[in-house]
Amino acid sequence: MRTGVDDVISNFDLVLQGFRLTIELFVVSGILSLLFGTALAAMRVGPVAVLARAGALYVALVRNTPLLIVFILATFGLPKLDVQLPFFVKGVIALTVYTSAFVCEAVRSGINSVPLGQAEAARATGLTFTQTMSSVVLPQDRPPPSN
Protein backbone atom coordinates (compact mmCIF):
# COMPACT_ATOMS: atom_id res chain seq x y z
CA MET A 1 0.00 0.00 0.00
CA ARG A 2 1.39 3.40 -1.04
CA THR A 3 1.38 6.32 1.32
CA GLY A 4 1.42 10.06 0.66
CA VAL A 5 5.11 10.13 1.52
CA ASP A 6 5.83 7.62 -1.25
CA ASP A 7 3.98 9.85 -3.73
CA VAL A 8 6.00 12.89 -2.67
CA ILE A 9 9.29 11.02 -2.89
CA SER A 10 8.49 9.54 -6.28
CA ASN A 11 7.51 12.98 -7.63
CA PHE A 12 10.15 14.98 -5.79
CA ASP A 13 11.29 16.68 -9.00
CA LEU A 14 7.77 18.13 -9.40
CA VAL A 15 7.76 19.27 -5.78
CA LEU A 16 11.04 21.11 -6.37
CA GLN A 17 9.67 22.70 -9.55
CA GLY A 18 6.61 23.90 -7.63
CA PHE A 19 8.79 25.27 -4.85
CA ARG A 20 10.98 27.10 -7.36
CA LEU A 21 7.91 28.60 -9.08
CA THR A 22 6.57 29.75 -5.71
CA ILE A 23 9.85 31.48 -4.85
CA GLU A 24 10.00 33.13 -8.29
CA LEU A 25 6.41 34.41 -7.92
CA PHE A 26 7.23 35.69 -4.44
CA VAL A 27 10.33 37.61 -5.54
CA VAL A 28 8.95 39.14 -8.74
CA SER A 29 5.54 40.09 -7.35
CA GLY A 30 7.11 41.28 -4.10
CA ILE A 31 9.37 43.74 -5.90
CA LEU A 32 6.56 44.94 -8.17
CA SER A 33 4.17 45.25 -5.21
CA LEU A 34 6.70 47.36 -3.33
CA LEU A 35 7.10 49.71 -6.30
CA PHE A 36 3.40 49.93 -7.17
CA GLY A 37 2.34 50.15 -3.51
CA THR A 38 4.76 53.02 -2.86
CA ALA A 39 3.44 54.86 -5.93
CA LEU A 40 -0.13 54.29 -4.69
CA ALA A 41 0.80 55.63 -1.25
CA ALA A 42 2.30 58.74 -2.83
CA MET A 43 -0.94 59.19 -4.76
CA ARG A 44 -3.00 58.81 -1.59
CA VAL A 45 -1.07 61.45 0.38
CA GLY A 46 -0.35 63.72 -2.58
CA PRO A 47 -1.84 67.13 -3.28
CA VAL A 48 -3.88 66.06 -6.34
CA ALA A 49 -7.37 65.20 -5.10
CA VAL A 50 -8.31 63.08 -8.14
CA LEU A 51 -5.25 60.85 -7.68
CA ALA A 52 -5.86 60.59 -3.93
CA ARG A 53 -9.43 59.46 -4.52
CA ALA A 54 -8.41 57.04 -7.27
CA GLY A 55 -5.78 55.50 -4.97
CA ALA A 56 -8.28 55.25 -2.11
CA LEU A 57 -10.83 53.59 -4.40
CA TYR A 58 -8.26 51.09 -5.67
CA VAL A 59 -7.19 50.18 -2.14
CA ALA A 60 -10.77 49.87 -0.90
CA LEU A 61 -11.81 47.65 -3.81
CA VAL A 62 -8.76 45.40 -3.90
CA ARG A 63 -8.34 44.96 -0.14
CA ASN A 64 -11.95 43.81 0.14
CA THR A 65 -11.66 41.32 -2.72
CA PRO A 66 -10.53 37.78 -1.90
CA LEU A 67 -7.22 36.76 -3.46
CA LEU A 68 -8.88 33.79 -5.14
CA ILE A 69 -11.20 36.16 -7.02
CA VAL A 70 -8.22 38.21 -8.20
CA PHE A 71 -6.56 35.03 -9.49
CA ILE A 72 -9.79 33.95 -11.23
CA LEU A 73 -10.06 37.36 -12.89
CA ALA A 74 -6.44 37.22 -14.04
CA THR A 75 -6.73 33.63 -15.27
CA PHE A 76 -10.12 33.73 -16.98
CA GLY A 77 -10.90 37.44 -17.35
CA LEU A 78 -7.79 38.50 -19.25
CA PRO A 79 -8.31 35.94 -22.06
CA LYS A 80 -11.91 37.20 -22.44
CA LEU A 81 -10.35 40.63 -23.14
CA ASP A 82 -8.07 39.03 -25.77
CA VAL A 83 -5.03 39.36 -23.51
CA GLN A 84 -3.00 36.17 -23.85
CA LEU A 85 -0.27 35.88 -21.23
CA PRO A 86 1.79 32.99 -19.83
CA PHE A 87 0.64 31.42 -16.56
CA PHE A 88 3.58 32.92 -14.64
CA VAL A 89 2.76 36.46 -15.79
CA LYS A 90 -0.90 36.03 -14.81
CA GLY A 91 0.21 34.91 -11.37
CA VAL A 92 2.54 37.88 -11.02
CA ILE A 93 -0.22 40.28 -12.09
CA ALA A 94 -2.72 38.80 -9.63
CA LEU A 95 -0.29 38.83 -6.70
CA THR A 96 0.97 42.33 -7.53
CA VAL A 97 -2.52 43.79 -7.87
CA TYR A 98 -3.58 42.25 -4.56
CA THR A 99 -0.46 42.82 -2.46
CA SER A 100 0.23 46.37 -3.62
CA ALA A 101 -2.93 47.58 -1.86
CA PHE A 102 -1.61 46.28 1.46
CA VAL A 103 1.86 47.70 0.79
CA CYS A 104 0.22 51.04 -0.02
CA GLU A 105 -1.51 51.18 3.36
CA ALA A 106 1.68 50.23 5.22
CA VAL A 107 3.72 52.89 3.41
CA ARG A 108 0.94 55.48 3.78
CA SER A 109 0.78 54.92 7.52
CA GLY A 110 4.55 55.34 7.70
CA ILE A 111 4.33 58.57 5.71
CA ASN A 112 1.59 59.86 8.00
CA SER A 113 3.74 59.11 11.05
CA VAL A 114 6.39 61.61 9.92
CA PRO A 115 5.90 64.91 11.76
CA LEU A 116 4.15 67.44 9.55
CA GLY A 117 6.80 70.06 10.32
CA GLN A 118 9.46 68.11 8.42
CA ALA A 119 7.45 68.09 5.21
CA GLU A 120 6.49 71.74 5.68
CA ALA A 121 10.15 72.68 6.18
CA ALA A 122 11.10 70.84 3.00
CA ARG A 123 8.36 72.61 1.07
CA ALA A 124 9.46 75.96 2.56
CA THR A 125 12.96 75.43 1.18
CA GLY A 126 11.48 75.10 -2.30
CA LEU A 127 11.37 71.33 -2.73
CA THR A 128 8.57 69.94 -4.88
CA PHE A 129 6.21 67.26 -3.58
CA THR A 130 8.23 64.54 -5.31
CA GLN A 131 11.51 65.86 -3.92
CA THR A 132 10.01 66.17 -0.43
CA MET A 133 8.76 62.59 -0.56
CA SER A 134 11.98 61.11 -1.94
CA SER A 135 14.48 63.17 0.09
CA VAL A 136 12.75 63.87 3.40
CA VAL A 137 9.67 61.78 4.13
CA LEU A 138 10.38 58.29 2.73
CA PRO A 139 13.99 57.85 3.91
CA GLN A 140 13.05 58.32 7.59
CA ASP A 141 15.24 56.37 9.97
CA ARG A 142 14.26 57.41 13.45
CA PRO A 143 15.52 55.63 16.53
CA PRO A 144 12.90 54.41 18.99
CA PRO A 145 11.91 56.92 21.66
CA SER A 146 13.97 56.68 24.81
CA ASN A 147 12.27 56.67 28.19
Side-chain angles (χ1 to χ4, degrees):
M1 186 159 110
R2 289 180 58 123
T3 64
V5 174
D6 294 332
D7 291 334
V8 170
I9 290 172
S10 65
N11 295 308
F12 196 67
D13 58 330
L14 294 175
V15 172
L16 287 178
Q17 283 179 327
F19 183 71
R20 180 175 176 223
L21 178 65
T22 302
I23 297 300
E24 289 171 354
L25 281 169
F26 164 72
V27 170
V28 173
S29 64
I31 291 169
L32 292 175
S33 295
L34 182 63
L35 295 173
F36 191 55
T38 303
L40 273 171
M43 286 172 51
R44 297 238 12 228
V45 300
V48 181
V50 173
L51 291 178
R53 287 190 183 128
L57 179 66
Y58 176 85
V59 169
L61 286 175
V62 173
R63 281 183 60 192
N64 291 312
T65 304
L67 179 59
L68 179 61
I69 300 299
V70 177
F71 269 105
I72 289 171
L73 288 174
T75 303
F76 300 112
L78 290 176
K80 292 284 185 187
L81 299 173
D82 290 330
V83 178
Q84 302 299 328
L85 297 170
F87 172 76
F88 182 80
V89 175
K90 289 178 189 176
V92 167
I93 288 171
L95 285 173
T96 301
V97 163
Y98 184 76
T99 310
S100 61
F102 292 94
V103 171
C104 169
E105 288 301 289
V107 172
R108 186 186 63 81
S109 67
I111 290 170
N112 288 340
S113 72
V114 174
L116 189 58
Q118 290 185 14
E120 288 175 349
R123 297 286 292 161
T125 61
L127 295 178
T128 64
F129 174 76
T130 305
Q131 291 170 328
T132 300
M133 289 294 289
S134 63
S135 299
V136 177
V137 176
L138 288 177
Q140 291 287 315
D141 186 25
R142 295 178 292 182
S146 59
N147 293 333

